[in-house]
């Protein structure tokens, strides 16, 4: 359970949603579920065909739209306009990790004020290395070997 899932705010004009995002430093592009983009009021974007390589070496092509939105941290200290690609189900059925509920299992993470995932059960957005600054570790807290590392990111 070492996935870096975080709740983030996304904005289009006056419409704001909180979604669960995966910080994926193995991806070169950022994506969002198309139904979430539609809920945010982003109905169309630049249509493209995107080729995606998988861990097993296969390549999958799919039609997508590149859309623009504002991404914000929950504390509103970070806010950036980003372009993301829409897809049907960006992370499959990957659930958001509720680090707040399980942080007490490790001594080094007991007092970290983790943000609670939003009400959506799954991850709806993938933040790739096209926005590497959002992956930046501002602070790290680690425990013993084999225990998770907590990273404060923008």
């Amino acid at each position: 359970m070492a996935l870096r899932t975080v709740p983030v705010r996304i904005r289009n004009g006056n419409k704001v949603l909180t979604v669960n995002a995966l910080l994926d430093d193995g991806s070169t592009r950022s994506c969002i579920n198309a139904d979430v983009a539609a809920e945010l009021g982003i109905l169309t974007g630049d249509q493209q065909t995107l080729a995606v390589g998988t861990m097993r070496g296969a390549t999958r092509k799919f039609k997508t739209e590149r859309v623009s939105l504002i991404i914000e941290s929950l504390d509103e200290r970070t806010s950036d306009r980003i372009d993301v690609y829409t897809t049907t189900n960006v992370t499959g059925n990957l659930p958001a990790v509720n680090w707040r509920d399980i942080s007490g299992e490790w001594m080094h993470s007991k007092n970290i004020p983790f943000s609670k995932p939003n009400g959506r059960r799954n991850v709806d957005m993938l933040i790739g290395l096209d926005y590497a600054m959002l992956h930046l570790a501002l602070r790290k807290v680690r425990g013993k070997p084999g225990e998770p590392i907590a990273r404060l990111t923008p």
Side-chain angles (χ1 to χ4, degrees):
M1 202 183 311
L3 298 173
R4 297 187 307 157
T5 58
V6 294
V8 297
R9 281 196 189 106
I10 54 176
R11 178 185 306 271
N12 179 38
N14 292 329
K15 182 76 174 177
V16 179
L17 296 175
T18 300
V19 298
N20 299 308
L22 171 66
L23 292 167
D24 186 0
D25 53 11
S27 295
T28 57
R29 301 267 190 253
S30 296
C31 298
I32 192 168
N33 287 339
D35 62 330
V36 174
E39 188 177 341
L40 197 59
I42 305 172
L43 301 177
T44 60
D46 299 330
Q47 291 194 358
Q48 299 180 10
T49 299
L50 193 62
V52 175
T54 67
M55 289 177 32
R56 295 194 168 116
T59 301
R60 192 183 92 180
K61 292 183 179 182
F62 62 94
K63 298 254 187 239
T64 183
E65 293 185 354
R66 188 176 72 175
V67 298
S68 184
L69 54 86
I70 302 291
I71 186 169
E72 299 175 335
S73 59
L74 296 185
D75 64 8
E76 299 179 3
R77 290 182 188 173
T78 299
S79 179
D80 287 306
R81 176 166 292 282
I82 65 172
D83 292 333
V84 294
Y85 294 89
T86 60
T87 185
T88 304
N89 199 355
V90 68
T91 61
N93 293 323
L94 179 67
V97 177
N98 189 341
W99 291 106
R100 180 182 269 182
D101 284 351
I102 62 175
S103 64
E105 295 179 24
W106 303 281
M107 188 61 84
H108 70 286
S109 62
K110 282 186 177 185
N111 296 319
I112 297 174
F114 287 101
S115 297
K116 185 177 177 182
N118 79 332
R120 297 172 188 268
R121 188 176 194 310
N122 292 335
V123 173
D124 289 314
M125 183 175 188
L126 182 147
I127 302 170
L129 286 181
D130 48 344
Y131 295 99
M133 74 278 188
L134 297 176
H135 292 248
L136 184 66
L138 303 174
R139 190 171 129 227
K140 293 182 191 178
V141 177
R142 63 181 183 168
K144 298 174 189 166
E147 293 181 340
I149 297 170
R151 293 183 180 108
L152 175 63
T153 60

